[in-house]
Structures are given as structure tokens and as C-alpha cells.
Amino acid sequence: MNAAPASPVYRIPHPLPLDSGQALEAAQIAYETYGTLAPDKGNAVLVCHALTGDQYLASPHPITGKPGWWERMVGPGKPIDTDRHFVICANVIGSCMGSTGPASLAPDGQPYAMRFPVITIRDMVRGLVALLDGLGIDRLHAVVGGSMGGMQALSLAANWPERAARVLVIASTARHSAQNIAFHEVGRQAIMADPAWAEGEYYAADAKPDNGLAVARMAAHITYLSEAGLTEKFGRRLQDRESKGFGFDAEFQVESYLRYQGSGFTRRFDANSYLYITRAMDYFDIAEEFSEVPGGGKLADAFAGTQARFCIVSFDTDWLYPTSESRHVVHALNAAGAKVSFVELSAPHGHDSFLLEHDQLDRVVKGFVE
């Protein structure tokens, strides 16, 4: 395996304030950059990653050796063209690929584990803004994100409206629904039910809660796909056998696929990070952030007076963040008088469509980011 070199790390020179009222001391952000920053620093594009993503946007992952998660979209001559733009992708706080998270050492020299403060999407963006400050970038040419990355893009636009001229949000939402929260809770309970989780204190132990984390990943992965896509790819075909075995091995191809997804995920992701990041997503509700009433507020108020241009993209088979969620955001931006374009794309692969080959998406991204 050709491992990528360790990412650059920015150490935030001040305590990072959090929505919980706490502050994260000596926090650091691991990041990757692609392309060259213009002398006037006006060509910077920030790409925000999804729940299980990381900073390895267009370079090999150091653990798995696999290509960057959006390599098809970012690079010389690609829709986000690194011959023109300076592209930044950072690992969010709470994660496990170099940025400060539950596996990081606390001031007492021991891993934070469950002592790590509960964070929000806005806290993640505070970390990204601190990184931009450290890089001397006052205003982004564009901020781009899919899924949880789209939440970060919207949060940046709402809370730091002067920091980005363009905001591209793909397959995302402005608030987590009850169904989203329910799926995340299944995953969290799977992790916490694993005896090896040990109340989060497993870093020095031989056993890690890999079984629980794998089940959490399997459950979540189902939500990233569509029924039509699963049927087309697997149907009810058996895996490496001619007939049913009347047991509980992975007999169907779809079972084998999910088990593979689960076991592979445990190699590169921390179980406690999964708990913290899913909780941050569940707390996400931009309208509530701009209201004094819990669960209340008008989303349009979050974008009042914004000067940024927005592009919102959804997929017709995405049932995790369906088109209705994107329309809700578009209506709010219209009500706020923002410049916004919206497109629903047809794709068979559900939520994960933004990560896969899609010529129309490429054209939308290229046209908007240019």
C-alpha cells in the first residue's frame, strides 16, 4: 500500500468556543490542499466532507490506500479545477484523521474518550473558519459540500456570511429529521452495546468495539442507497453458492456486501468519533440557531441579507435527504432575497449519487464553481 504522507496540521492558537458553552483547548485541524493559492488569495475553494469522510479529498487514503473520496471531481481540468482554484479540505473536529477528537490526548495526557465535549455542525465550522484565518483567507471563492458537508456549507453561509462568495450544497438539508435521528440512534446503540466499547475507554485495550461500529456502518450504508439501486446490483442473488444453506452466514450478495462495508470501515474510523459526529448532525437545525425558541425560527432569517450566490442540488432517489428538504432550503433562500439556483438530478444510486459518476452533476459543479 502506498500511504499518503501525513496531513499538515493547523494548531488553533486560541480556545475554540463550542455551542455547549465549553471550549476546546489546543485544538488542531488536519487538512489537505490542492492547487496554488493566488497572490490575492481569491481562488480558494473549501470542500467540506461528509460523516465518514476526511481530508483526503483527491489524494490516496493513508490507511486504506484507496483514491480520494472525490478524486473524480477535484483535480487539474476537473469540475473543481486545481489549475484554477486552491482547494482545501479539512478533517472536522470530533473526527479521527488528525483533527482533535475523542481519540486525541486531553491536557492530562490521556485520550479524551467520552470526556470530549459534545459538538455541533456549527462548532465544526468554527474550526474550519479558524483554519481559514490561519491560512490568511478572508473570503472563499466557494464553499462546497455534500451530505454533512452540505450542512457545514449552509452553516458557514448563515453564521459567517462574509466568508464565501458561492455556496454549493449537494444532497443535504438544513435540519435533521426524526427519521435521520432514528437511524443514527440505531448506530449509536449498536456501538454502545458492544462490550468492547467499555464506556468509551477502549483506546488502551486489545479489543475495540469493531463489531458495534461495523453494525452501525451497515445500518447507515443502507440509507445511502436506493431500493432500485440495491435491486439492480444484488437482487436476491446468492453469494458463492447454488442454493440456500439454511443458516445465518452471509448467503445473499447484499448481506456479504454490507458485511464487507462494515468490516472495512472499522479499519479507518473511530467508534467514539462516530458517536460524536452523528450527534452533531442530529442537533443540526439552522432555523433553531436563529431563534430564541427551541425548535422554532424561520430558516429565511438565517440568510437575511446574504450576498452569496447559492446552488442547491438534490437527487430523485435520495430518501435520506429527499428533494423536499432541498426545496425547503431554496424557499428560505428565496424568501431572504438570496441569489439561488436549484436542480434535482435523476440518478439510480440514492444519497451516494453525489460521490459517483454523474455527468450532469459534473456540469453543475463546474458551471457554478467557475
Side-chain angles (χ1 to χ4, degrees):
M1 182 188 302
N2 295 319
S7 296
V9 170
Y10 176 68
R11 290 172 173 81
I12 300 175
H14 54 78
L16 188 69
L18 305 175
D19 281 345
S20 66
Q22 297 179 262
L24 201 55
E25 302 283 344
Q28 65 179 35
I29 305 289
Y31 65 99
E32 291 285 319
T33 64
Y34 309 87
T36 303
L37 187 61
D40 66 358
K41 300 186 179 182
N43 68 332
V45 175
L46 176 66
V47 178
C48 304
H49 70 73
L51 163 58
T52 62
D54 48 50
Q55 67 271 36
Y56 297 102
L57 172 71
S59 47
H61 195 281
I63 296 175
T64 67
K66 292 181 178 179
W69 58 266
W70 228 15
E71 190 174 62
R72 55 170 292 272
M73 188 67 74
V74 178
K78 295 182 179 180
I80 302 178
D81 189 351
T82 52
D83 286 336
R84 301 181 58 181
H85 301 298
F86 178 68
V87 181
I88 310 155
C89 187
N91 193 218
V92 298
I93 61 166
S95 193
C96 51
M97 287 302 295
S99 294
T100 302
S104 304
L105 298 183
D108 64 1
Q110 298 300 313
Y112 276 104
M114 299 306 289
R115 296 180 298 159
F116 192 74
V118 172
I119 55 171
T120 66
I121 298 293
R122 184 161 54 180
D123 293 335
M124 294 176 183
V125 179
R126 285 191 180 100
L128 297 177
V129 169
L131 171 63
L132 295 177
D133 289 343
L135 296 174
I137 297 170
D138 294 328
R139 185 171 172 83
L140 293 163
H141 175 75
V143 58
V144 180
S147 193
M148 188 186 85
M151 299 179 191
Q152 295 167 66
L154 285 172
S155 181
L156 179 76
N159 293 285
W160 293 269
E162 74 288 351
R163 299 303 293 253
R166 294 170 176 81
V167 182
L168 175 55
V169 178
I170 308 170
S172 194
T173 182
R175 62 185 175 192
H176 238 210
S177 69
Q179 176 176 264
N180 299 146
I181 295 168
F183 275 112
H184 276 174
E185 177 63 2
V186 169
R188 288 191 291 265
Q189 288 301 317
I191 290 169
M192 293 189 284
D194 188 326
W197 180 62
E199 303 297 320
E201 300 289 342
Y202 55 81
Y203 293 109
D206 293 332
K208 303 291 190 290
D210 288 347
N211 291 336
L213 180 58
V215 172
R217 172 64 169 176
M218 290 166 68
H221 198 73
I222 296 168
T223 71
Y224 304 152
L225 309 172
S226 69
E227 182 180 8
L230 280 170
T231 300
E232 178 185 355
K233 189 170 185 176
F234 304 109
R236 290 180 50 81
R237 291 186 292 276
L238 297 175
Q239 176 76 21
D240 299 328
R241 62 181 68 217
E242 297 296 325
S243 60
K244 298 180 182 68
F246 295 94
F248 294 96
D249 290 334
E251 297 195 12
F252 292 96
Q253 287 182 6
V254 69
E255 293 175 314
S256 179
Y257 170 75
L258 287 175
R259 293 188 186 190
Y260 170 79
Q261 288 290 330
S263 63
F265 184 59
T266 63
R267 293 178 53 208
R268 67 175 181 85
F269 214 81
D270 177 55
N272 283 342
S273 283
Y274 196 88
L275 299 179
Y276 276 88
I277 296 176
T278 56
R279 176 53 88 200
M281 294 173 73
D282 291 347
Y283 280 158
F284 187 61
D285 184 341
I286 290 182
E288 184 181 61
E289 292 176 4
F290 285 81
S291 170
E292 297 179 358
V293 180
K298 293 181 179 179
L299 184 57
D301 293 343
F303 302 106
T306 182
Q307 298 301 305
R309 290 175 50 205
F310 290 80
C311 180
I312 312 296
V313 181
S314 70
F315 295 98
D316 59 357
T317 55
D318 184 353
W319 57 275
L320 183 64
Y321 302 125
T323 293
S324 58
E325 294 291 332
S326 289
R327 290 190 190 280
H328 178 62
V329 175
V330 172
H331 292 158
L333 289 167
N334 281 329
K339 298 182 286 289
V340 56
S341 55
F342 167 63
V343 60
E344 179 189 46
L345 299 177
S346 181
H349 303 295
H351 181 65
D352 264 358
S353 295
F354 78 96
L355 296 171
L356 305 173
E357 292 289 339
H358 198 294
D359 291 342
Q360 287 179 299
L361 177 62
D362 292 357
R363 288 196 291 272
V364 170
V365 172
K366 180 179 177 64
F368 186 73
V369 172
E370 279 187 350

